[in-house]
Amino acid sequence: MSDSSSTVDAASSPVVAVRDVQFSLAGRPVFQGLDVQARRGAITAIMGPSGTGKTTLLRLITGQIEPAAGSVTVFGESLATQDRDARYAMRRRMGMLFQNGALLTDLTVFENVAFPVRAHARLPESVLRQLVLTKLQAVGLRGAADLMPAQLSGGMARRVALARAIVMDPELLIYDEPFVGLDPISMGVIVRLIGRIHRALGITTIVVSHDVAELAALADHSYLLSGGKVVAAGTPAELAASAQPAVRQFMAGEADGPVAFHYPADDYRAQLLGGRR
Amino acid sequence: MIVAALRRVGAVALFLVRILAQCPAALAKPRAIVHQIHNCGARSLIIIMLSGLFVGMVLGLQGYDLLQRFGSESALGVAAALGLLKELGPVVTALLFAGRAGTALASEIGLMRATDQLTAMEMMAVDPVRHVIAPRLLGGIVALPLLVAIFDVIGLFGAQLVGVGMMGVDAGAFWSQMQAAVELRDVAEGLTKSLCFGVACSLVAVYEGFHAEPTAEGVGLATTRTVVVSSVLTLLIDYLLTAAFLAR
Ligand SMILES: Nc1ncnc2c1ncn2[C@@H]1O[C@H](COP(=O)(O)OP(=O)(O)O)[C@@H](O)[C@H]1O
Ligand SMILES: [Mg+2]
C-alpha cells in the first residue's frame, strides 16, 4: 500500500489505485466506497455480475468520467488534477480492449492497427508496415491485414483490437469483457494471448470479466464487485475457497443467494389472486 | 421548454467552438476533407439534379402562367433565375441535403458512438472532434454551395425547357433579359444563404450524431432530429437572411 506522499517507491507503488470512490449514474449510486488497486507487472482481475459497474470502473480509471468523491491515481498521478493534455499523455501509456473491439469501420485491419501510430509518431512507411505486421503476426492475423472490420468474426475483431491496443507498447493494458460471446476455440486463443502478451511486454494488466474459470487461470489477484463495493479480494484460489455466501454464489454460479434471483416485486400470491397487473 | 431550447442552442454553440478550435489541425489534412466533400456531395448529387430539373420545370410553367397574364412572358428567364438563385436553389437543396447527407452523417457518427469507436479514439489519445467531426463539418460546408450551384444550373435548364421549348417563349429574350436583370448581389444572396445553410445543416448533423445515446434507438432518434431541426433551422435562417438582404 502506498500513501499519497511523493516519496513512494515507484517500483512497488500500484499502477492504478482507486480509493474510496463514490459514483452515481442517473441518480442511482453505482459505487459506494470502492477500493481497487492494480500492482505493477501483475494481472488483476475484476469480477462481478453484469451491471455491477465494471465498465464504469474502467471509465473512471481511464479518466472518461470523474468520481463524485474519492480518488483515482494512475501511474502515480491523480486524475482529478489532470488537464486534457496530461490525460492524453496518460492514455498514450495505456492500451484498452473494448468489449466489441471498437474497430474503426471505415479502415482496413492494417490501417486500424496503424491508426494510433500514424496519430502519434512520424514513422517512415516501411517501418510502420513492419511494426503493424509484427503486431498482427503476434495475434495471428497478419493474413487478414487487408480485410475490412465487417469481414471479421467476433474473435478475429477482438484480436485485431488487441493488436491495435499493443501497437504503441503500453505500460498498462485493460481488457473489458474479453471473453464475452466467443466460441470455445476463440476463447482459448484470447486467454492464451492475454497471458502471452502480459509476459512478453512485462506490463500491468487489468481484466474485467464475469468468466470465473478463465480468470482463475490468468489472474494474480482478483476483486469481486457487488452492490458498489468490493465484496472479496485475493488470489483466484483464495476466492474459490471463500466461505462468504456472496463469493460462493458468484464463483459457483448459483441462481439464488445474496444476489436474489427475483427482481424485487410485490407478493406473488397477492398479485395473482388480486387480479392486478 | 424555452430554457431547454436555449440550453440546447448554447450546447450546439459550444460544440461549434470546440470544432472550430480543431479546424486548423483538420485543414492540415485536406484529403480527409475532400473525402467528406465527395461523401456528402456525391451521395446527394442524383436527387439534387432530379429535383433541380423538376423545380425548374415547375417554375417554367407557373412563371409563364403568371407572366402571360401581364403580357410579359419574355421576362420568364429573369423570374426563373431570380427565384432559383435567391430562394429555391439554396432552400430546396438544403432541405434535400438535410434529408440525404445530414441523416447519413448523423447515423454514421451515432453508430461510431454506439460501437465505442469514438471512445476508442479518445483512449488512443486521438481527439474524435479533430479526426471525425471537423472534416465532416468542413466537407458539408463546402459541399452544399456546390450542390446549390448544380441545382441552379439544372433548374434554369428545366425552366428553359418548359418556357422556351413548350410554351414558345423567345429563347433570345429568355436569356438576354436574364443576363441584363440579374445582378451580382442576387448571386451574393444565394451564395450567403448556401453557406449559412451548409453550416447549419452540417453542424446539426454532426452534433446530433456525436451526442446520440449509444443505442440503436439513440441513433435513430438522432437521425430523425437531424432532419427536423435542420429543416426548420434552414427556413428560419432563410427568412432572416432574406429580410436582411432586402433591408440593405
Ligand atoms: N449512461 C448510463 N445512464 C444510466 N445508467 C447507466 C448508464 N450506463 C450504465 N448504467 C448503469 O450503471 C450500471 C453499471 O453499468 P456497467 O458499468 O456497464 O456494468 P457492467 O460493465 O459491470 O456490466 C448498470 O446498472 C447500468 O444499468
Ligand atoms: Mg460492461
Side-chain angles (χ1 to χ4, degrees):
Chain A
M1 295 281 145
S2 66
D3 55 31
S4 51
S5 72
S6 54
T7 55
V8 245
D9 179 13
S12 67
S13 67
V15 173
V16 174
V18 174
R19 288 197 195 86
D20 199 21
V21 156
Q22 317 251 353
F23 184 78
S24 301
L25 261 175
R28 209 177 64 85
V30 180
F31 298 127
Q32 297 159 307
L34 185 75
D35 284 285
V36 169
Q37 299 198 344
R39 271 207 337 273
R40 188 171 301 273
I43 299 186
T44 303
I46 296 176
M47 303 188 284
S50 294
T52 32
K54 301 185 296 297
T55 300
T56 308
L57 172 59
L58 296 186
R59 284 168 25 100
L60 282 164
I61 292 175
T62 53
Q64 295 172 46
I65 48 180
E66 286 175 14
S71 74
V72 180
T73 312
V74 180
F75 301 129
E77 197 183 336
S78 168
L79 298 200
T81 54
Q82 258 180 349
D83 61 7
R84 212 186 81 125
D85 288 346
R87 185 150 304 168
Y88 272 12
M90 171 193 87
R91 286 179 183 163
R92 287 172 65 168
R93 297 167 67 186
M94 47 168 78
M96 175 149 178
L97 191 76
F98 286 83
Q99 204 163 318
N100 54 17
L103 296 176
L104 306 178
T105 37
D106 55 347
L107 299 180
T108 62
V109 164
F110 182 94
E111 285 303 324
N112 260 287
V113 179
F115 184 84
V117 189
R118 287 198 199 282
H120 296 305
R122 278 198 185 282
L123 292 184
E125 200 60 27
S126 60
V127 180
L128 175 89
R129 216 179 122 69
Q130 250 178 24
L131 176 64
V132 171
L133 290 180
T134 312
K135 301 297 179 184
L136 279 175
Q137 174 75 7
V139 299
L141 290 176
R142 189 169 43 87
D146 295 327
L147 298 184
M148 296 305 283
Q151 297 169 284
L152 304 177
S153 72
M156 287 163 81
R158 221 163 286 177
R159 278 146 75 192
V160 173
L162 184 50
R164 182 178 69 178
I166 59 173
V167 75
M168 296 294 280
D169 289 329
E171 298 163 47
L172 169 66
L173 197 48
I174 300 175
Y175 299 84
D176 190 1
E177 308 268 12
F179 313 120
V180 163
L182 294 185
D183 60 86
I185 299 177
S186 308
M187 180 107 108
V189 168
I190 293 277
V191 172
R192 254 171 286 133
L193 271 178
I194 293 178
R196 209 163 72 200
I197 286 170
H198 178 78
R199 287 188 298 276
L201 299 183
I203 53 179
T204 308
T205 301
I206 298 177
V207 186
V208 157
S209 177
H210 48 238
D211 289 286
V212 177
E214 276 67 32
L215 287 176
L218 274 174
D220 299 309
H221 193 78
S222 311
Y223 290 93
L224 178 57
L225 303 190
S226 188
K229 282 199 179 67
V230 174
V231 292
T235 62
E238 282 166 4
L239 286 197
S242 170
Q244 255 179 283
V247 183
R248 294 259 309 275
Q249 184 193 2
F250 185 78
M251 302 298 281
E254 289 157 8
D256 218 343
V259 177
F261 170 68
H262 289 288
Y263 193 82
D266 294 337
D267 184 63
Y268 187 35
R269 265 175 65 90
Q271 189 168 15
L272 285 184
L273 296 176
R276 264 185 325 110
R277 280 191 10 97
Chain B
M1 171 75 183
I2 292 178
V3 175
L6 283 179
R7 186 169 293 159
R8 223 173 137 69
V9 171
V12 177
L14 282 179
F15 190 58
L16 179 62
V17 171
R18 196 172 152 199
I19 302 173
L20 288 179
Q22 298 298 336
C23 275
L27 284 168
K29 289 192 176 162
R31 280 188 57 171
I33 300 173
V34 171
H35 182 71
Q36 291 308 326
I37 296 173
H38 172 259
N39 232 1
C40 46
R43 268 170 174 165
S44 318
L45 197 56
I46 299 288
I47 61 163
I48 295 288
M49 289 169 65
L50 271 179
S51 310
L53 183 67
F54 294 139
V55 167
M57 287 165 69
V58 169
L59 264 183
L61 284 179
Q62 296 281 22
Y64 180 83
D65 180 55
L66 181 77
L67 292 170
Q68 58 95 23
R69 297 180 194 196
F70 306 102
S72 44
E73 312 86 276
S74 59
L76 181 63
V78 184
L82 289 183
L84 280 168
L85 272 179
K86 287 161 56 131
E87 203 55 47
L88 287 166
V91 170
V92 177
T93 306
L95 294 178
L96 294 170
F97 183 85
R100 184 68 189 88
T103 51
L105 264 185
S107 61
E108 182 193 14
I109 298 170
L111 218 56
M112 293 180 82
R113 165 71 67 207
T115 54
D116 284 333
Q117 294 181 52
L118 298 179
T119 317
M121 283 189 185
E122 283 269 359
M123 285 305 304
M124 291 185 273
V126 172
D127 188 351
V129 171
R130 174 188 304 185
H131 259 265
V132 176
I133 304 300
R136 282 170 173 73
L137 180 76
L138 292 172
I141 293 175
V142 176
L144 188 52
L146 295 178
L147 290 171
V148 171
I150 293 171
F151 185 99
D152 286 348
V153 168
I154 295 193
L156 279 182
F157 171 76
Q160 189 257 183
L161 205 65
V162 170
V164 177
M166 287 163 56
M167 299 305 182
V169 175
D170 181 56
F174 184 91
W175 293 111
S176 66
Q177 290 212 14
M178 188 192 304
Q179 202 174 12
V182 175
E183 292 170 24
L184 195 59
R185 66 184 177 89
D186 301 319
V187 180
E189 182 175 344
L191 194 62
T192 310
K193 283 183 175 177
S194 310
L195 276 172
C196 293
F197 296 164
V199 174
C201 292
S202 310
L203 181 61
V204 167
V206 294
Y207 176 87
E208 292 293 349
F210 195 76
H211 295 92
E213 283 285 316
T215 58
E217 307 91 84
V219 177
L221 199 64
T223 312
T224 312
R225 271 221 293 261
T226 298
V227 181
V228 176
V229 175
S230 9
S231 302
V232 174
L233 202 58
T234 294
L235 297 173
L236 171 70
I237 296 176
D238 185 44
Y239 172 75
L240 295 178
L241 284 179
T242 307
F245 268 92
L246 284 181
R248 287 201 323 170

